[in-house]
Amino acid sequence: MLLWINLQQRINEILFENCIYSQIRIDTYCYFCTMKSEFQDSFRHKGLRRNLIQDIRDKKIATEKVLDAMMEVPRHLFIDGAFLEKAYSDFAFPIGEGQTISQPSTVAIQTTLLDLKEGDRVLEIGTGSGYQTAVLCKFNVKI
């Protein structure tokens, strides 16, 4: 139980350090993060994420600010650790309960279209895994 609570606190620190949020439950974010090794953001994870962000950059569908925010969010924390390679592919991935984690290029387009400014308010409905919410939090918005 203590490990679970520590993981929840650490996830808050990493993903929501700049976010003013209300009514967000982080249980979903911890659902698959039951072991410390799955919770790490290793050089391998960062390299896979960098390649994914470069692929999205090459498509010219998002601003650099959005891509920077996505680079800071470890997408592999939002899916089962057994599917690490899938975490950094540009397609939606099932996460259970009939939901999916959004395709990264879709997150990039949606976030770019929002044209967020610090302090803006965003109503996030049907957050699924919470990945989009974590990206939005990098813009210092109220969710």
Side-chain angles (χ1 to χ4, degrees):
M1 184 66 166
L2 183 58
L3 175 62
W4 184 260
I5 291 169
N6 288 340
L7 284 174
Q8 288 179 333
Q9 290 171 346
R10 185 71 179 124
I11 287 172
N12 263 340
E13 292 169 11
I14 291 173
L15 301 179
F16 302 113
E17 64 185 339
N18 296 322
C19 185
I20 303 167
Y21 60 98
S22 53
Q23 305 283 321
I24 293 180
R25 295 185 47 151
I26 61 172
D27 294 347
T28 304
Y29 311 126
C30 291
Y31 185 72
F32 294 112
C33 301
T34 56
M35 295 172 39
K36 283 186 175 182
S37 62
E38 291 180 23
F39 186 65
Q40 295 175 354
D41 192 21
S42 70
F43 288 115
R44 180 172 184 233
H45 298 131
K46 291 174 184 174
L48 291 169
R49 191 161 58 251
R50 191 173 7 266
N51 291 339
L52 171 64
I53 298 304
Q54 186 58 51
D55 289 345
I56 295 172
R57 180 177 287 115
D58 292 344
K59 294 177 184 177
K60 300 182 190 299
I61 57 174
T63 64
E64 281 302 313
K65 188 174 178 181
V66 168
L67 296 175
D68 290 344
M70 291 177 67
M71 186 61 200
E72 292 182 37
V73 178
R75 190 169 187 259
H76 66 278
L77 296 180
F78 296 88
I79 65 172
D80 187 323
F83 300 103
L84 173 62
E85 298 298 324
K86 304 292 183 195
Y88 295 105
S89 298
D90 193 22
F91 62 86
F93 191 78
I95 57 169
E97 303 299 323
Q99 297 186 34
T100 61
I101 182 171
S102 297
Q103 182 175 352
S105 58
T106 301
V107 170
I109 292 168
Q110 291 173 338
T111 307
T112 297
L113 289 174
L114 286 174
D115 191 27
L116 296 169
K117 309 288 185 281
E118 186 172 338
D120 282 354
R121 292 177 174 219
V122 178
L123 176 62
E124 175 75 55
I125 299 174
T127 59
S129 72
Y131 175 69
Q132 174 76 65
T133 302
V135 171
L136 293 173
C137 283
K138 296 299 179 184
F139 289 86
N140 297 321
V141 297
K142 182 172 180 157
I143 304 213

